[in-house]
Amino acid sequence: MTNPILSPWDTPFEIAPFDAISDADFAPALDAALAAHDAEIKAIAEDSRPADFANTVEALEAAGEALDKVLSVFFTVAGADSNPERQELQRAFSPKLAAHFSAISSNKALFARVAEVWEKRDALDLTEEQARVLMLTHRGFVRSGAALTGAADQRMQEIMGRLAELGTAFTQNLLADESGWFMPLTEADLEGLPGFVVNAARAAGEEKGQEGPVVTLSRSLITPFLQFSPRRDLREQAFKAWAARGANGGETDNREIAAEILKLREERAKLLGYESFADYKLETQMAGTPEKVRELLMAVWGPAKRQAEADAEVLTEMMREDGINDDLAPWDWRYYAEKRRKAEHDLDEAEVKPYLQLDRMIEASFACANRLFGLEFKPLDVPLYHPDCRAWEVTRGGKHVAVFIGDYFARGSKRSGAWCSAMRSQAKFPKEQGPVVINVCNFAKGDPALLSYDDARTLFHEFGHALHQMLSDVTYESISGTSVARDFVELPSQLYEHWLEVPEVLAEFATHAETGAAMPKEMLDKVLGAANFDMGFQTVEYVASALVDLAFHEGAAPADVLAMQAEVLEGLGMPAAITMRHASPHFAHVFSGDGYSSGYYSYMWSEVMDADAFEAFEEAGNAFDAETAKALEAHILSTGGSVEAADLYKRFRGRLPGVEALLKGRGLAA
């Protein structure tokens, strides 16, 4: 019997045939794909011809098609629709995959051929893109330990295998803590909550098989509960559960896992000759060094902390007026900040939310992409991995560009947060292929589904990543789309958030769920006027997380991650009523994999650029200026990783930006 994952996908645009794939197909498909990839790698490494770009570098680019298919399907469902069987498969796959890729990176014969091509690169008449791919290929081998020999080589392979196991365990523990906790609410507990929160709590109760409403640890439910519940005791209970994810003791506790990950990363960096893991990791980023990262973060920390401390005084006084003679606590901040926003901006999220329908915000994100880049979106009726998913064909001038899949609703089988991934990336070699891109979010279900302004911004953010994938126009998949420096990858996504704030966009698409009326101009002005509200809090919780991440990787690995976290926060003078956005035991960006380790600062590094980049449209006098949009696509969105990130930005703007635009954009400028 043929395996549907490995068989040709005779589907529209070769989308994975999810309706034909079962969990039982994954393990045999992976084994077969690994064997096929091994054979391809062996053929390249043992090729008797002199090494050249085509028979070595391009051959590596073309290898692994079957493996790409297996992994794209499996990791899509493992992240967005997990179950016990998929979790068990993930635990089994992690060491297998780590060993497989470690064997490739430590293949001496293969590295010798890559090095041979690298040595004669100046005589090969390569295009700019080919030269870039060769450099990245050679650098990737060196940085993964290909030049190591003997015991050091063996130890590196052991480290990479163990890190893969630990990252999987961290992710699954976090999912278990998030999906396993809920707080039942009585009808009396619902008093004071706006209708959209009540509806979300009832929907969550149904999903959990409860007879009544519940609060879960899904951000789309717990955040509005903390904003609106007048019950301080319930807010405290919910917040403490949210803050304790990954640190509850027992089998799902992540503290020792995080400590071991940091220790192994330190050893890995030392084996490769670096002072610290941060030095190793940042070498290939725009920032370049830990010192540059710290310089940026501290430039923002001071103004943000001053603003947060001033805000804390106001919120504390509001507590006193409520008769609470206690210190402002983390479970109080969102509640009193929401009351303050309502008082100062006359803005009530419960009144705003009916104007932010999910379907209308999806339309808005599509409409902006149409006006900026000429993209058109047509619904696709194809089987997907979950009934909540939707798909569209993306075209331009009648020509196919991409397939876009949206998976928007929170559920217990989905890890928290929001992300964009490509099931297939754009490429022209070894064959022409259009991207298949997925946005995954965790919005509360409803009829209709209503978003907070922050949710709407998340939707635009992830769609900005999707545009980076969809508009990619390079030859080689390894530099396609979002395959760029980590501190550059957030530029397109954070930049796209700005179009949500363009008044004419909200005027057209922010329509009331019941009446269909457009958001009144007075409310629209208030929404935009309050865009920077509570920015001291938001900036402090983020920058604190980024500085703790940097400290974890700058020197010797700590034996106790929470002790070091506390030490860093104390040194910063962290305001008592604000916590890190991601405490270490649930800091998935840093510990679920290598992606954002030493790199959580990337969002802010990119924000320096996105604030400056949107000013290009403002200077043109039009948020949809055609020439500026054309330049943005030509120099940023279509180029993937084909050129150094700093050079791409300078091609777009003529220079690199300073931190001033960021502070101004966040309302923190002196």
Side-chain angles (χ1 to χ4, degrees):
M1 184 175 172
T2 55
N3 190 305
I5 305 175
L6 298 176
S7 302
W9 292 351
D10 185 19
T11 55
F13 311 108
E14 295 183 325
I15 299 171
F18 287 106
D19 56 338
I21 296 170
S22 72
D23 288 345
D25 295 318
F26 287 119
L30 180 67
D31 287 342
L34 288 173
H37 196 213
D38 281 338
E40 291 168 330
I41 296 298
K42 187 172 187 286
I44 299 167
E46 296 178 1
D47 193 331
S48 59
R49 297 171 296 172
D52 60 28
F53 187 81
N55 67 27
T56 303
V57 180
E58 283 192 329
L60 283 169
E61 287 282 328
E65 183 183 359
L67 186 57
D68 287 344
K69 288 172 73 172
V70 177
L71 298 183
S72 71
V73 178
F74 178 72
F75 284 114
T76 294
V77 299
D81 191 26
S82 190
N83 60 34
E85 191 168 354
R86 288 169 190 170
Q87 290 181 17
E88 181 56 43
L89 286 169
Q90 203 170 356
R91 286 191 290 271
F93 288 179
S94 288
K96 271 189 181 181
L97 290 168
H100 175 76
F101 290 113
S102 182
I104 293 172
S105 62
S106 62
N107 185 317
K108 304 307 178 192
L110 181 61
F111 177 55
R113 290 182 67 78
V114 171
E116 184 183 336
V117 182
W118 174 247
E119 288 301 320
K120 58 189 180 188
R121 61 192 180 279
D122 293 337
L124 296 179
D125 194 26
L126 301 176
T127 66
E128 183 183 24
E129 188 178 330
Q130 288 174 328
R132 175 77 173 166
V133 170
L134 171 58
M135 185 279 290
L136 292 171
T137 302
H138 180 260
R139 187 176 75 181
F141 270 94
V142 173
R143 284 173 55 82
S144 61
L148 297 176
T149 57
D153 181 26
Q154 179 60 35
R155 180 59 185 150
M156 179 63 80
Q157 293 188 53
E158 292 168 1
I159 287 171
M160 298 310 291
R162 181 62 178 155
L163 283 171
E165 292 175 10
L166 292 169
T168 298
F170 189 98
T171 304
Q172 294 190 350
N173 288 346
L174 181 54
L175 178 62
D177 276 8
E178 287 175 346
S179 61
W181 186 92
F182 60 87
M183 180 173 71
L185 301 175
T186 66
E187 292 302 312
D189 296 336
L190 299 175
E191 287 181 24
L193 295 176
F196 74 87
V197 182
V198 173
N199 292 340
R202 293 195 193 283
E206 287 178 23
E207 204 245 340
K208 294 293 183 189
Q210 300 299 298
E211 292 183 2
V214 304
V215 173
T216 67
L217 297 182
S218 168
R219 189 179 288 274
S220 63
L221 178 50
I222 195 167
T223 298
F225 181 80
L226 293 169
Q227 279 179 294
F228 291 105
S229 175
R231 289 280 302 278
R232 192 177 191 229
D233 59 329
L234 296 181
R235 295 200 311 267
E236 180 177 2
Q237 189 178 338
F239 183 87
K240 284 182 172 177
W242 173 247
R245 290 168 298 149
N248 288 304
E251 292 183 358
T252 62
D253 198 293
N254 274 333
R255 285 171 285 191
E256 289 187 8
I257 289 174
E260 187 179 351
I261 287 172
L262 293 174
K263 188 171 172 51
L264 290 171
R265 284 178 180 162
E266 181 191 5
E267 186 182 355
R268 175 182 169 196
K270 294 276 172 63
L271 281 172
L272 293 169
Y274 294 87
E275 282 293 311
S276 71
F277 186 79
D279 287 306
Y280 161 74
K281 192 70 187 294
L282 294 169
E283 179 186 49
T284 60
Q285 305 304 307
M286 282 185 76
T289 66
E291 291 74 27
K292 286 281 188 187
V293 173
R294 187 172 297 283
E295 184 183 319
L296 167 70
L297 294 174
M298 293 310 295
V300 178
W301 175 257
K305 184 186 170 193
R306 283 193 293 275
Q307 183 62 57
E309 287 172 338
D311 292 340
E313 290 181 15
V314 176
L315 302 185
T316 300
E317 185 55 37
M318 293 173 70
M319 273 181 59
R320 298 284 183 270
E321 291 169 6
D322 277 355
I324 301 172
N325 294 313
D326 196 359
D327 292 333
L328 184 73
W331 46 91
D332 298 316
W333 191 293
R334 289 174 176 84
Y335 177 70
Y336 284 100
E338 182 60 33
K339 288 181 77 169
R340 181 187 181 191
R341 180 170 70 157
K342 190 172 180 181
E344 292 185 2
H345 294 274
D346 192 21
L347 189 64
D348 183 349
E349 186 169 311
E351 292 177 11
V352 173
K353 213 162 182 180
Y355 290 96
L356 299 176
Q357 301 175 66
L358 171 61
D359 285 352
R360 294 292 280 151
M361 290 300 102
I362 294 170
E363 285 181 52
S365 68
F366 289 175
C368 291
N370 176 260
R371 291 184 64 181
L372 288 164
F373 310 114
L375 299 178
E376 297 182 322
F377 299 81
K378 186 176 77 175
L380 271 178
D381 184 14
V382 292
L384 298 167
Y385 61 86
H386 192 278
D388 286 345
C389 296
R390 296 182 247 178
W392 294 264
E393 182 192 5
V394 187
T395 59
R396 179 155 60 179
K399 184 182 175 188
H400 177 78
V401 172
V403 170
F404 175 66
I405 298 170
D407 178 3
Y408 296 107
F409 296 123
R411 52 180 175 267
S413 62
K414 183 190 287 187
R415 63 181 168 89
S416 62
W419 63 93
C420 174
S421 59
M423 289 197 68
R424 181 174 65 236
S425 295
Q426 176 272 331
K428 298 172 187 173
F429 176 89
K431 62 180 181 182
E432 191 99 20
Q433 62 185 38
V436 176
V437 188
I438 304 180
N439 276 177
V440 184
C441 300
N442 269 284
F443 303 140
K445 237 179 184 173
D447 187 18
L450 304 177
L451 305 183
S452 66
Y453 192 72
D454 196 45
D455 287 339
R457 196 156 44 204
T458 296
L459 186 145
F460 267 69
H461 178 101
E462 297 307 332
F463 194 71
H465 281 308
L467 286 172
H468 201 182
Q469 295 277 14
M470 291 190 278
L471 292 172
S472 178
D473 185 22
V474 298
T475 303
Y476 301 101
E477 190 170 349
S478 65
I479 53 166
S480 175
T482 57
S483 297
V484 297
R486 181 64 66 177
D487 50 10
F488 190 70
V489 77
E490 297 297 336
L491 168 61
S493 54
Q494 291 178 189
L495 175 59
Y496 203 64
E497 292 178 31
H498 288 273
W499 276 275
L500 177 63
E501 297 173 358
V502 174
E504 65 189 274
V505 174
L506 284 175
E508 180 177 357
F509 293 98
T511 57
H512 198 279
E514 293 177 10
T515 67
M519 182 182 284
K521 185 175 187 309
E522 182 185 7
M523 183 182 286
L524 177 62
D525 291 342
K526 289 174 187 173
V527 167
L528 296 175
N532 280 329
F533 180 73
D534 212 24
M535 195 52 76
F537 168 87
Q538 292 180 42
T539 308
V540 162
E541 64 164 7
Y542 166 79
V543 175
S545 296
L547 284 165
V548 168
D549 165 42
L550 186 64
F552 277 157
H553 297 97
E554 260 188 305
D560 184 334
V561 291
L562 288 184
M564 185 171 194
Q565 173 185 300
E567 184 183 322
V568 173
L569 297 180
E570 185 180 358
L572 290 169
M574 182 77 168
I578 306 179
T579 60
M580 288 168 63
R581 183 170 297 177
H582 306 288
S584 307
H586 56 255
F587 207 162
H589 280 80
V590 171
F591 293 112
S592 285
D594 239 9
Y596 284 89
S597 54
S598 297
Y600 193 62
Y601 77 92
S602 304
Y603 293 94
M604 188 147 280
W605 190 275
S606 293
E607 191 178 337
V608 171
M609 289 182 286
D610 86 62
D612 179 71
F614 193 69
E615 281 188 356
F617 287 89
E618 293 175 328
E619 289 162 9
N622 180 4
F624 294 96
D625 179 68
E627 286 305 308
T628 311
K630 188 176 177 183
L632 177 66
E633 180 178 353
H635 299 307
I636 306 289
L637 297 175
S638 69
T639 48
S642 60
V643 177
E644 285 290 342
D647 292 336
L648 288 176
Y649 193 83
K650 282 188 277 192
R651 290 179 188 182
F652 173 57
R653 268 309 247 158
R655 52 161 174 75
L656 289 173
V659 76
E660 298 77 17
L662 178 145
L663 291 173
K664 179 184 164 191
R666 285 189 169 234
L668 299 173

